[in-house]
Amino acid sequence: MSKASMSLPDKRHDRDGGGKYQYFTGYVLSLVLTAIAFALVAFLALPAPVLLVLLMVLAAIQVLVQLFLFMHVTEGDGSRVKGLAIGLGLFFTLAIALGSVWIMSFNSQVQ
């Protein structure tokens, strides 16, 4: 390897956007969101319906943190396809979560 190639920066590692700061921010936000959700459930701070809605909101924020800070959704080409994939993923997630709540509430009425 020549001296010239050793002094040039490796461009493959510059694709991560904010780099270590972005990962650190995402990690801290994930921990804080998880701690808030855990504390709300552990201490039964709110009535069940309000708690359920708040947990879904915290989960949605957690998904956005993961997508934008760790998976770099905004980088690269094909933003339309990425947007469609995110929308479809959120739709399926919401359908599974609401379907599970509906099934569990129906089960409690049957017994």
Side-chain angles (χ1 to χ4, degrees):
M1 199 187 303
S2 68
K3 286 184 181 181
S5 64
M6 290 177 58
S7 64
L8 294 175
D10 189 3
K11 294 294 182 189
R12 291 176 295 168
H13 298 292
D14 291 339
R15 295 183 305 182
D16 65 347
K20 293 179 185 175
Y21 177 74
Q22 185 176 2
Y23 291 126
F24 180 75
T25 303
Y27 179 69
V28 170
L29 282 173
S30 295
L31 287 177
V32 168
L33 290 168
T34 302
I36 291 170
F38 177 78
L40 288 172
V41 173
F43 299 119
L44 297 172
L46 300 168
V50 176
L51 185 62
L52 184 63
V53 170
L54 190 56
L55 288 175
M56 286 187 167
V57 169
L58 288 171
I61 294 170
Q62 182 83 276
V63 167
L64 293 175
V65 166
Q66 298 294 324
L67 285 173
F68 288 101
L69 295 179
F70 291 117
M71 298 177 73
H72 310 290
V73 163
T74 57
E75 296 176 8
D77 297 331
S79 61
R80 185 175 181 170
V81 173
K82 288 180 184 178
L84 181 63
I86 290 170
L88 191 60
L90 289 175
F91 171 75
F92 285 136
T93 302
L94 188 63
I96 290 169
L98 292 177
S100 298
V101 170
W102 179 63
I103 289 170
M104 288 185 287
S105 67
F106 179 73
N107 188 29
S108 67
Q109 292 175 359
V110 172
Q111 293 179 359

